[in-house]
Amino acid sequence: MRSLVLGGARSGKSAHAEGLVPEDAPVTYVATARRDPSDAEWNERIAAHVARRPAAWRTVEAPDPASPRRVLAEAGDGDHVLVDDLATWLTGVLDDAGAWERDRAALAVVAEHCDALVTAVSEGSGHVVLVSAEVGLGVVPETRSGRLFRDELGSLNARLAAVCDEVLLLVAGCPLRIR
């Protein structure tokens, strides 16, 4: 079973996704947020996510763009993997590739990482829950980097939705089943 949980900021997508995974099952939580020691507010957000997780869950901090797909590839049939979230993962991929100015070579690197993630999700044998932001419902961003992020994340979300068994959209804390 592969689930994609989408939602806007503070929509409840992470908490809902966590509720899709049985507490007593072997769960690997892939945390994609990169810590920044100088950003206290960001670290408080990360701490709130950590505090909400059951103690038995194994957490893999994934600052490396390949980390989520490695965890997915290693998951066995009875394992559960929760990846939270793909927007922060993609931000790191764009940063690492230096793709914010739309350099073709850098965008090719981003595409390779996205292709590999979609393949890992589609070929994985474990139970997968993916969390991602839905950023395509708002206005067109004013900045080139904002438009790049919106376009890249929208494309990644669509590709992942195509290989997932269920797709949910959280709006104001309410889950809507898309598929």
Side-chain angles (χ1 to χ4, degrees):
M1 180 69 159
R2 293 178 290 273
S3 302
L4 176 61
V5 180
L6 302 166
R10 299 292 191 214
S11 64
K13 62 188 174 291
S14 293
H16 187 81
E18 291 163 8
L20 296 176
V21 181
E23 282 188 42
D24 58 345
V27 176
T28 300
Y29 183 101
V30 181
T32 64
R34 295 180 179 190
R35 295 181 184 270
D36 179 354
S38 67
D39 189 340
E41 186 268 340
W42 183 247
N43 292 324
E44 288 173 14
R45 287 175 181 248
I46 291 172
H49 278 254
V50 170
R52 202 173 52 222
R53 282 180 230 144
W57 287 11
R58 178 175 80 105
T59 298
V60 174
E61 296 212 7
D64 171 5
S67 297
R69 67 178 183 258
R70 278 196 298 264
V71 172
L72 291 166
E74 294 168 1
D77 288 340
D79 295 338
H80 290 75
V81 177
L82 194 157
V83 180
D84 191 5
D85 102 339
L86 296 174
T88 55
W89 174 81
L90 181 62
T91 299
V93 170
L94 289 162
D95 283 346
D96 292 350
W100 292 108
E101 295 301 318
R102 295 185 179 259
D103 174 76
R104 288 185 191 272
L107 289 173
V109 170
V110 172
E112 288 172 14
H113 284 296
C114 291
D115 291 347
L117 179 64
V118 172
T119 298
V121 170
S122 68
E123 294 178 353
S125 60
H127 300 276
V128 178
V129 178
L130 306 167
V131 179
S132 189
E134 176 50 66
V135 294
L137 299 175
V139 298
V140 175
E142 184 178 320
T143 65
R144 181 169 44 180
S145 59
R147 290 187 301 273
L148 172 69
F149 178 75
R150 183 212 47 197
D151 294 349
E152 291 292 325
L153 186 60
S155 175
L156 178 61
N157 286 347
R159 292 179 63 204
L160 288 167
V163 299
C164 284
D165 303 301
E166 75 174 346
V167 180
L168 302 162
L169 175 64
L170 269 282
V171 177
C174 300
L176 303 170
R177 182 172 302 283
I178 305 299
R179 178 179 49 226

